[in-house]
């Protein structure tokens, strides 16, 4: 999804709501007034440049995303590789689970047979099963 930099207020509003934060709570974290947050979200003003990295930290996103550069996931791969080398296998598996959860739809699929699709996370990796057949495995070495 590509977003225009002029819509930073829309992104702040969307990210804040996804975190279940009020404008007042975000203002407290950033040491600004709730009115300032409201003005950003309405597009009346922009956050001070010194707050951009703090906003990215609060929302667990990149500054690129805040500025509208969201279509460059490939450029993040080197950084992701470096960070993955620093964490344990269990943390890698949990991270992959978070990615799967973040990209899943909110509504669970209607499945008449619970054995149709199953994701198994374990100490040796992750397996994806469909109709009692292993269709994909990601080992800890892969992760």
């Amino acid at each position: 999804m590509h977003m225009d930099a002029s819509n930073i207020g829309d992104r702040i509003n969307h990210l804040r709501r996804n975190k279940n934060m009020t404008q007042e709570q975000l203002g407290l974290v950033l040491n600004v007034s709730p009115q300032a947050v409201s003005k950003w979200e309405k597009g009346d003003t922009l956050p001070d440049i010194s707050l951009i990295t703090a906003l990215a930290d609060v929302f667990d996103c990149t500054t690129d995303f805040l500025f509208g550069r969201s279509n460059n996931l490939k450029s993040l791969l080197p950084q992701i590789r470096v960070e993955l080398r620093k964490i344990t296998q269990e943390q890698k598996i949990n991270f992959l689970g978070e990615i799967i959860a973040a990209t899943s739809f909110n509504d669970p699929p209607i499945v008449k047979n619970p054995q149709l699709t199953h994701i198994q996370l374990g100490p040796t990796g992750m397996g994806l099963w469909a109709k009692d057949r292993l269709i994909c495995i990601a080992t800890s070495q892969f992760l």
Side-chain angles (χ1 to χ4, degrees):
M1 158 171 75
H2 178 70
M3 295 183 169
D4 186 291
S6 64
N7 293 326
I8 191 170
D10 291 337
R11 283 187 295 287
I12 292 170
N13 179 281
H14 176 76
L15 291 165
R16 178 182 60 77
R17 289 176 185 269
N18 280 347
K19 283 269 197 183
N20 293 318
M21 294 179 81
T22 64
Q23 290 177 338
E24 189 171 293
Q25 289 169 326
L26 180 58
L28 284 172
V29 170
L30 299 173
N31 201 27
V32 298
S33 70
Q35 293 81 5
V37 175
S38 175
K39 288 180 180 181
W40 301 340
E41 292 181 0
K42 290 179 187 174
D44 294 342
T45 62
L46 294 172
D48 188 85
I49 192 72
S50 65
L51 294 174
I52 297 300
T53 56
L55 278 164
D57 288 343
V58 167
F59 296 134
D60 297 319
C61 69
T62 64
T63 55
D64 275 357
F65 180 79
L66 287 173
F67 283 119
R69 295 187 57 192
S70 62
N71 60 350
N72 62 348
L73 182 59
K74 189 174 182 176
S75 70
L76 294 176
L77 289 178
Q79 180 182 350
I80 291 170
R81 283 187 195 105
V82 167
E83 294 301 318
L84 284 174
R85 288 184 185 115
K86 297 177 184 177
I87 62 177
T88 66
Q89 295 303 78
E90 184 176 339
Q91 290 171 319
K92 290 176 186 178
I93 292 168
N94 290 336
F95 175 69
L96 184 56
E98 289 178 29
I99 291 173
I100 292 168
T103 58
S104 299
F105 293 105
N106 291 335
D107 298 327
I110 299 171
V111 179
K112 294 180 182 175
N113 181 349
Q115 295 299 327
L116 281 177
T117 304
H118 175 71
I119 298 173
Q120 180 180 357
L121 295 174
T124 59
M126 179 193 81
L128 176 62
W129 296 78
K131 294 186 180 181
D132 297 325
R133 294 182 189 177
L134 180 64
I135 59 172
C136 176
I137 188 163
T139 65
S140 58
Q141 187 176 31
F142 172 78
L143 298 172

